[in-house]
Amino acid sequence: MTEKKRKAVYNPQADTKWIENNKERKNYLTRRSNARGFIRNIATADDLMELQSMIVDRLKPQDALRGFKELLNEYGVEDPLRETKLKLAISELDNNGVKVNQFTFERFKQEKHSDVKADLIETLDNTIEDLEKALENVKMGKAPSIQIKGHNKGH
């Protein structure tokens, strides 16, 4: 004996309840849909050029993160929480008028490591800490001085 499939029934109360419980998500989805529709169907060439410029400016704080991403990928390290903390610190500094340049890791790559992944995580933690301290300084009206910490040399 075969079971009959249940037909989908629209439930407006369920929709209303979801919207009430997910206002931020609903707002995000609506705005994203509007932006995509505008770009696909309405935007002029001038609009598209302006949007492109805005997107490039918005992504600039992530350029600094790119150096870390490349290093993490090179050594097979995935740490989304630390990457998010780093990205947030860079974005907050950028929002406060402090540009963070792309990180380079030539010295790190040339040094010997007994546990390169642990050293990489330590370097990431130190960088996050330094950027957060720089942000604190900026918020207190001080110069965003950063003391670059090395990792332990005994590796």
PDB file of all heavy atoms in Angstrom, residues 70-92:
ATOM      1  N   GLU A  70      46.335  33.375   3.059  1.00  0.00           N
ATOM      2  CA  GLU A  70      47.273  32.631   2.219  1.00  0.00           C
ATOM      3  C   GLU A  70      48.192  31.766   3.076  1.00  0.00           C
ATOM      4  O   GLU A  70      48.468  30.617   2.745  1.00  0.00           O
ATOM      5  CB  GLU A  70      48.089  33.594   1.359  1.00  0.00           C
ATOM      6  CG  GLU A  70      47.266  34.261   0.278  1.00  0.00           C
ATOM      7  CD  GLU A  70      47.983  35.407  -0.411  1.00  0.00           C
ATOM      8  OE1 GLU A  70      49.145  35.707  -0.059  1.00  0.00           O
ATOM      9  OE2 GLU A  70      47.365  36.027  -1.299  1.00  0.00           O
ATOM     10  N   LEU A  71      48.671  32.326   4.196  1.00  0.00           N
ATOM     11  CA  LEU A  71      49.556  31.575   5.085  1.00  0.00           C
ATOM     12  C   LEU A  71      48.815  30.399   5.731  1.00  0.00           C
ATOM     13  O   LEU A  71      49.342  29.281   5.784  1.00  0.00           O
ATOM     14  CB  LEU A  71      50.127  32.500   6.164  1.00  0.00           C
ATOM     15  CG  LEU A  71      51.229  31.900   7.030  1.00  0.00           C
ATOM     16  CD1 LEU A  71      52.494  31.660   6.195  1.00  0.00           C
ATOM     17  CD2 LEU A  71      51.548  32.818   8.197  1.00  0.00           C
ATOM     18  N   LEU A  72      47.598  30.641   6.197  1.00  0.00           N
ATOM     19  CA  LEU A  72      46.804  29.569   6.800  1.00  0.00           C
ATOM     20  C   LEU A  72      46.557  28.456   5.789  1.00  0.00           C
ATOM     21  O   LEU A  72      46.705  27.268   6.108  1.00  0.00           O
ATOM     22  CB  LEU A  72      45.478  30.119   7.329  1.00  0.00           C
ATOM     23  CG  LEU A  72      45.560  31.082   8.507  1.00  0.00           C
ATOM     24  CD1 LEU A  72      44.203  31.730   8.767  1.00  0.00           C
ATOM     25  CD2 LEU A  72      46.061  30.380   9.758  1.00  0.00           C
ATOM     26  N   ASN A  73      46.212  28.832   4.569  1.00  0.00           N
ATOM     27  CA  ASN A  73      45.977  27.836   3.521  1.00  0.00           C
ATOM     28  C   ASN A  73      47.244  27.057   3.191  1.00  0.00           C
ATOM     29  O   ASN A  73      47.205  25.846   2.994  1.00  0.00           O
ATOM     30  CB  ASN A  73      45.428  28.498   2.257  1.00  0.00           C
ATOM     31  CG  ASN A  73      44.013  28.993   2.433  1.00  0.00           C
ATOM     32  OD1 ASN A  73      43.290  28.558   3.318  1.00  0.00           O
ATOM     33  ND2 ASN A  73      43.616  29.932   1.599  1.00  0.00           N
ATOM     34  N   GLU A  74      48.373  27.766   3.154  1.00  0.00           N
ATOM     35  CA  GLU A  74      49.651  27.127   2.823  1.00  0.00           C
ATOM     36  C   GLU A  74      49.990  26.006   3.803  1.00  0.00           C
ATOM     37  O   GLU A  74      50.532  24.975   3.422  1.00  0.00           O
ATOM     38  CB  GLU A  74      50.758  28.178   2.817  1.00  0.00           C
ATOM     39  CG  GLU A  74      52.110  27.649   2.388  1.00  0.00           C
ATOM     40  CD  GLU A  74      53.163  28.750   2.327  1.00  0.00           C
ATOM     41  OE1 GLU A  74      52.815  29.922   2.086  1.00  0.00           O
ATOM     42  OE2 GLU A  74      54.345  28.413   2.501  1.00  0.00           O
ATOM     43  N   TYR A  75      49.666  26.227   5.088  1.00  0.00           N
ATOM     44  CA  TYR A  75      49.996  25.231   6.107  1.00  0.00           C
ATOM     45  C   TYR A  75      48.786  24.383   6.516  1.00  0.00           C
ATOM     46  O   TYR A  75      48.851  23.612   7.474  1.00  0.00           O
ATOM     47  CB  TYR A  75      50.608  25.915   7.338  1.00  0.00           C
ATOM     48  CG  TYR A  75      51.972  26.484   7.045  1.00  0.00           C
ATOM     49  CD1 TYR A  75      52.155  27.847   6.863  1.00  0.00           C
ATOM     50  CD2 TYR A  75      53.081  25.652   6.925  1.00  0.00           C
ATOM     51  CE1 TYR A  75      53.402  28.376   6.581  1.00  0.00           C
ATOM     52  CE2 TYR A  75      54.329  26.178   6.629  1.00  0.00           C
ATOM     53  CZ  TYR A  75      54.485  27.537   6.467  1.00  0.00           C
ATOM     54  OH  TYR A  75      55.726  28.048   6.190  1.00  0.00           O
ATOM     55  N   GLY A  76      47.684  24.521   5.795  1.00  0.00           N
ATOM     56  CA  GLY A  76      46.514  23.693   6.053  1.00  0.00           C
ATOM     57  C   GLY A  76      45.846  23.958   7.393  1.00  0.00           C
ATOM     58  O   GLY A  76      45.305  23.041   8.013  1.00  0.00           O
ATOM     59  N   VAL A  77      45.865  25.203   7.838  1.00  0.00           N
ATOM     60  CA  VAL A  77      45.256  25.563   9.113  1.00  0.00           C
ATOM     61  C   VAL A  77      43.925  26.250   8.849  1.00  0.00           C
ATOM     62  O   VAL A  77      43.855  27.196   8.076  1.00  0.00           O
ATOM     63  CB  VAL A  77      46.172  26.499   9.934  1.00  0.00           C
ATOM     64  CG1 VAL A  77      45.486  26.963  11.202  1.00  0.00           C
ATOM     65  CG2 VAL A  77      47.488  25.798  10.257  1.00  0.00           C
ATOM     66  N   GLU A  78      42.871  25.731   9.486  1.00  0.00           N
ATOM     67  CA  GLU A  78      41.563  26.372   9.390  1.00  0.00           C
ATOM     68  C   GLU A  78      41.155  26.785  10.791  1.00  0.00           C
ATOM     69  O   GLU A  78      41.136  25.958  11.701  1.00  0.00           O
ATOM     70  CB  GLU A  78      40.525  25.416   8.792  1.00  0.00           C
ATOM     71  CG  GLU A  78      40.730  25.167   7.317  1.00  0.00           C
ATOM     72  CD  GLU A  78      39.594  24.369   6.711  1.00  0.00           C
ATOM     73  OE1 GLU A  78      38.443  24.518   7.172  1.00  0.00           O
ATOM     74  OE2 GLU A  78      39.872  23.600   5.790  1.00  0.00           O
ATOM     75  N   ASP A  79      40.853  28.049  10.965  1.00  0.00           N
ATOM     76  CA  ASP A  79      40.438  28.555  12.266  1.00  0.00           C
ATOM     77  C   ASP A  79      39.475  29.719  12.040  1.00  0.00           C
ATOM     78  O   ASP A  79      39.863  30.878  12.159  1.00  0.00           O
ATOM     79  CB  ASP A  79      41.653  28.995  13.086  1.00  0.00           C
ATOM     80  CG  ASP A  79      41.329  29.114  14.558  1.00  0.00           C
ATOM     81  OD1 ASP A  79      40.191  29.518  14.886  1.00  0.00           O
ATOM     82  OD2 ASP A  79      42.209  28.805  15.377  1.00  0.00           O
ATOM     83  N   PRO A  80      38.224  29.407  11.703  1.00  0.00           N
ATOM     84  CA  PRO A  80      37.257  30.458  11.367  1.00  0.00           C
ATOM     85  C   PRO A  80      37.052  31.478  12.490  1.00  0.00           C
ATOM     86  O   PRO A  80      36.863  32.660  12.212  1.00  0.00           O
ATOM     87  CB  PRO A  80      35.960  29.690  11.101  1.00  0.00           C
ATOM     88  CG  PRO A  80      36.386  28.296  10.811  1.00  0.00           C
ATOM     89  CD  PRO A  80      37.661  28.075  11.551  1.00  0.00           C
ATOM     90  N   LEU A  81      37.106  31.048  13.745  1.00  0.00           N
ATOM     91  CA  LEU A  81      36.898  31.987  14.851  1.00  0.00           C
ATOM     92  C   LEU A  81      38.002  33.035  14.893  1.00  0.00           C
ATOM     93  O   LEU A  81      37.732  34.232  14.971  1.00  0.00           O
ATOM     94  CB  LEU A  81      36.835  31.239  16.185  1.00  0.00           C
ATOM     95  CG  LEU A  81      36.643  32.124  17.416  1.00  0.00           C
ATOM     96  CD1 LEU A  81      35.331  32.892  17.326  1.00  0.00           C
ATOM     97  CD2 LEU A  81      36.675  31.290  18.680  1.00  0.00           C
ATOM     98  N   ARG A  82      39.252  32.595  14.807  1.00  0.00           N
ATOM     99  CA  ARG A  82      40.361  33.554  14.821  1.00  0.00           C
ATOM    100  C   ARG A  82      40.342  34.434  13.562  1.00  0.00           C
ATOM    101  O   ARG A  82      40.626  35.620  13.629  1.00  0.00           O
ATOM    102  CB  ARG A  82      41.687  32.820  14.949  1.00  0.00           C
ATOM    103  CG  ARG A  82      41.964  32.338  16.363  1.00  0.00           C
ATOM    104  CD  ARG A  82      43.329  31.665  16.463  1.00  0.00           C
ATOM    105  NE  ARG A  82      43.656  31.314  17.821  1.00  0.00           N
ATOM    106  CZ  ARG A  82      43.405  30.120  18.377  1.00  0.00           C
ATOM    107  NH1 ARG A  82      42.815  29.181  17.665  1.00  0.00           N
ATOM    108  NH2 ARG A  82      43.745  29.888  19.629  1.00  0.00           N
ATOM    109  N   GLU A  83      40.011  33.844  12.422  1.00  0.00           N
ATOM    110  CA  GLU A  83      39.929  34.634  11.195  1.00  0.00           C
ATOM    111  C   GLU A  83      38.861  35.718  11.328  1.00  0.00           C
ATOM    112  O   GLU A  83      39.072  36.856  10.903  1.00  0.00           O
ATOM    113  CB  GLU A  83      39.607  33.735  10.001  1.00  0.00           C
ATOM    114  CG  GLU A  83      40.749  32.852   9.566  1.00  0.00           C
ATOM    115  CD  GLU A  83      40.385  31.965   8.389  1.00  0.00           C
ATOM    116  OE1 GLU A  83      39.683  32.451   7.473  1.00  0.00           O
ATOM    117  OE2 GLU A  83      40.800  30.801   8.383  1.00  0.00           O
ATOM    118  N   THR A  84      37.739  35.373  11.941  1.00  0.00           N
ATOM    119  CA  THR A  84      36.666  36.344  12.143  1.00  0.00           C
ATOM    120  C   THR A  84      37.103  37.443  13.093  1.00  0.00           C
ATOM    121  O   THR A  84      36.840  38.623  12.856  1.00  0.00           O
ATOM    122  CB  THR A  84      35.398  35.642  12.675  1.00  0.00           C
ATOM    123  OG1 THR A  84      34.991  34.660  11.716  1.00  0.00           O
ATOM    124  CG2 THR A  84      34.270  36.633  12.902  1.00  0.00           C
ATOM    125  N   LYS A  85      37.795  37.072  14.179  1.00  0.00           N
ATOM    126  CA  LYS A  85      38.297  38.077  15.124  1.00  0.00           C
ATOM    127  C   LYS A  85      39.271  39.024  14.425  1.00  0.00           C
ATOM    128  O   LYS A  85      39.232  40.237  14.637  1.00  0.00           O
ATOM    129  CB  LYS A  85      38.994  37.406  16.312  1.00  0.00           C
ATOM    130  CG  LYS A  85      38.060  36.810  17.315  1.00  0.00           C
ATOM    131  CD  LYS A  85      38.866  36.218  18.469  1.00  0.00           C
ATOM    132  CE  LYS A  85      37.981  35.704  19.572  1.00  0.00           C
ATOM    133  NZ  LYS A  85      38.786  35.196  20.701  1.00  0.00           N
ATOM    134  N   LEU A  86      40.155  38.463  13.600  1.00  0.00           N
ATOM    135  CA  LEU A  86      41.123  39.280  12.874  1.00  0.00           C
ATOM    136  C   LEU A  86      40.404  40.220  11.910  1.00  0.00           C
ATOM    137  O   LEU A  86      40.694  41.420  11.853  1.00  0.00           O
ATOM    138  CB  LEU A  86      42.108  38.381  12.124  1.00  0.00           C
ATOM    139  CG  LEU A  86      43.210  39.071  11.346  1.00  0.00           C
ATOM    140  CD1 LEU A  86      44.131  39.847  12.278  1.00  0.00           C
ATOM    141  CD2 LEU A  86      44.022  38.045  10.555  1.00  0.00           C
ATOM    142  N   LYS A  87      39.467  39.691  11.166  1.00  0.00           N
ATOM    143  CA  LYS A  87      38.707  40.483  10.201  1.00  0.00           C
ATOM    144  C   LYS A  87      37.953  41.607  10.913  1.00  0.00           C
ATOM    145  O   LYS A  87      37.935  42.751  10.446  1.00  0.00           O
ATOM    146  CB  LYS A  87      37.730  39.569   9.460  1.00  0.00           C
ATOM    147  CG  LYS A  87      36.959  40.213   8.361  1.00  0.00           C
ATOM    148  CD  LYS A  87      36.115  39.163   7.673  1.00  0.00           C
ATOM    149  CE  LYS A  87      35.252  39.720   6.594  1.00  0.00           C
ATOM    150  NZ  LYS A  87      34.445  38.713   5.943  1.00  0.00           N
ATOM    151  N   LEU A  88      37.349  41.302  12.054  1.00  0.00           N
ATOM    152  CA  LEU A  88      36.608  42.302  12.812  1.00  0.00           C
ATOM    153  C   LEU A  88      37.538  43.411  13.306  1.00  0.00           C
ATOM    154  O   LEU A  88      37.211  44.602  13.192  1.00  0.00           O
ATOM    155  CB  LEU A  88      35.898  41.641  13.998  1.00  0.00           C
ATOM    156  CG  LEU A  88      35.057  42.550  14.887  1.00  0.00           C
ATOM    157  CD1 LEU A  88      33.944  43.202  14.084  1.00  0.00           C
ATOM    158  CD2 LEU A  88      34.489  41.765  16.050  1.00  0.00           C
ATOM    159  N   ALA A  89      38.702  43.036  13.835  1.00  0.00           N
ATOM    160  CA  ALA A  89      39.653  44.040  14.330  1.00  0.00           C
ATOM    161  C   ALA A  89      40.118  44.947  13.189  1.00  0.00           C
ATOM    162  O   ALA A  89      40.186  46.173  13.342  1.00  0.00           O
ATOM    163  CB  ALA A  89      40.847  43.361  14.997  1.00  0.00           C
ATOM    164  N   ILE A  90      40.411  44.359  12.034  1.00  0.00           N
ATOM    165  CA  ILE A  90      40.847  45.142  10.874  1.00  0.00           C
ATOM    166  C   ILE A  90      39.730  46.089  10.429  1.00  0.00           C
ATOM    167  O   ILE A  90      39.961  47.266  10.173  1.00  0.00           O
ATOM    168  CB  ILE A  90      41.274  44.216   9.717  1.00  0.00           C
ATOM    169  CG1 ILE A  90      42.553  43.462  10.095  1.00  0.00           C
ATOM    170  CG2 ILE A  90      41.468  45.011   8.423  1.00  0.00           C
ATOM    171  CD1 ILE A  90      42.894  42.321   9.152  1.00  0.00           C
ATOM    172  N   SER A  91      38.502  45.580  10.363  1.00  0.00           N
ATOM    173  CA  SER A  91      37.364  46.405   9.939  1.00  0.00           C
ATOM    174  C   SER A  91      37.110  47.546  10.911  1.00  0.00           C
ATOM    175  O   SER A  91      36.841  48.673  10.493  1.00  0.00           O
ATOM    176  CB  SER A  91      36.099  45.549   9.812  1.00  0.00           C
ATOM    177  OG  SER A  91      36.219  44.666   8.737  1.00  0.00           O
ATOM    178  N   GLU A  92      37.200  47.260  12.214  1.00  0.00           N
ATOM    179  CA  GLU A  92      36.955  48.303  13.210  1.00  0.00           C
ATOM    180  C   GLU A  92      38.030  49.388  13.130  1.00  0.00           C
ATOM    181  O   GLU A  92      37.732  50.574  13.262  1.00  0.00           O
ATOM    182  CB  GLU A  92      36.874  47.713  14.611  1.00  0.00           C
ATOM    183  CG  GLU A  92      35.570  46.977  14.855  1.00  0.00           C
ATOM    184  CD  GLU A  92      35.380  46.585  16.301  1.00  0.00           C
ATOM    185  OE1 GLU A  92      35.553  47.438  17.183  1.00  0.00           O
ATOM    186  OE2 GLU A  92      35.064  45.409  16.542  1.00  0.00           O
TER     187      GLU A  92
END
